[in-house]
Amino acid sequence: MARRYWLMKSEPGTYSIEDLEEDGETHWDGVRNYQARNLMRDDMQVGDGVLFYHSNADPPGVAGVAKVVSKPYPDPTQFDPKSKYHDPKADPAEPRWWLVDIAFEERFGNVVALPELKDDTRFDDMMVTQRGSRLSVQPVAKKHFDAVVKLGRKRR
DNA sequence: GCCAACGTTGGC
DNA sequence: GCCAACGTTGGC
């Protein structure tokens, strides 16, 4: 199976690319959206590329690159009453929420800002540039992944 | 199964 | 802080 590419959103105030750089890797817990869950659970594989996106940031945009380093497994926070991600309806026999681990790969010298992506016609058909695109885990085409990485590495 | 009410996301 | 877009919940 060929390598796939993803974009994963995080608010830098909660967890930033700097945090990931420091930690080396992290559990992508707390996803509570079924579409995002399905993508992680059903379609992610070890080695996949991840654009790490800062949402609710100034400016919002892709801050760096990570990669998937685990198979999907049940998000333990759903069963933890003390967690803010606790889901009282989650059943350990049939977990509702899944996650993967991701590892730091690189931090861009400059964030590839959302307005830049919107201004560049190459990204017209990228999910994150669409109006009202709230999904926190999105599939990304290889051409978009490669072009964003190129922009992120470019010195400006 | 419809849909109004409500909650959340996230750009601006 | 506003609010449009969207997802979820729950009454019926």
Side-chain angles (χ1 to χ4, degrees):
Chain A
M1 187 66 80
R3 189 176 194 225
R4 291 177 176 163
Y5 301 91
W6 309 96
L7 178 146
M8 294 168 89
K9 295 182 185 175
S10 182
E11 301 195 14
T14 304
Y15 197 83
S16 68
I17 189 76
E18 288 81 8
D19 293 326
L20 182 61
E21 182 170 21
E22 205 177 304
D23 294 345
E25 63 179 76
T26 194
H27 319 295
W28 204 254
D29 57 17
V31 171
R32 294 294 180 267
N33 170 281
Y34 288 104
Q35 244 183 302
R37 190 264 331 247
N38 291 345
L39 291 171
M40 286 202 292
R41 187 190 61 185
D42 303 336
D43 296 327
M44 281 196 182
Q45 305 173 94
V46 172
D48 284 358
V50 175
L51 297 176
F52 195 105
Y53 182 90
H54 281 174
S55 59
N56 263 315
D58 187 19
V62 180
V65 178
K67 70 176 174 188
V68 176
V69 292
S70 81
K71 292 187 171 174
Y73 60 97
D75 181 343
T77 63
Q78 68 191 305
F79 307 122
D80 179 0
K82 293 193 296 292
S83 170
K84 67 171 172 171
Y85 300 124
H86 179 235
D87 182 348
K89 293 189 211 155
D91 173 6
E94 204 174 333
R96 177 182 293 199
W97 305 112
W98 294 67
L99 54 68
V100 296
D101 293 347
I102 65 167
F104 177 81
E105 288 230 303
E106 70 177 280
R107 179 154 63 94
F108 291 155
N110 292 291
V111 170
V112 182
L114 182 61
E116 272 180 77
L117 295 175
K118 285 187 169 170
D119 283 347
D120 189 328
T121 55
R122 287 179 297 162
F123 301 112
D124 283 356
D125 56 343
M126 189 177 183
M127 191 182 286
V128 77
T129 63
Q130 310 306 308
R131 179 177 166 81
S133 169
R134 300 194 315 172
L135 196 58
S136 66
V137 175
Q138 306 182 354
V140 172
K142 176 171 168 42
K143 62 172 180 174
H144 290 145
F145 184 91
D146 291 343
V148 168
V149 169
K150 211 166 186 177
L151 287 175
R153 288 177 181 163
K154 196 176 354 184
R155 297 192 69 91
R156 271 166 287 174

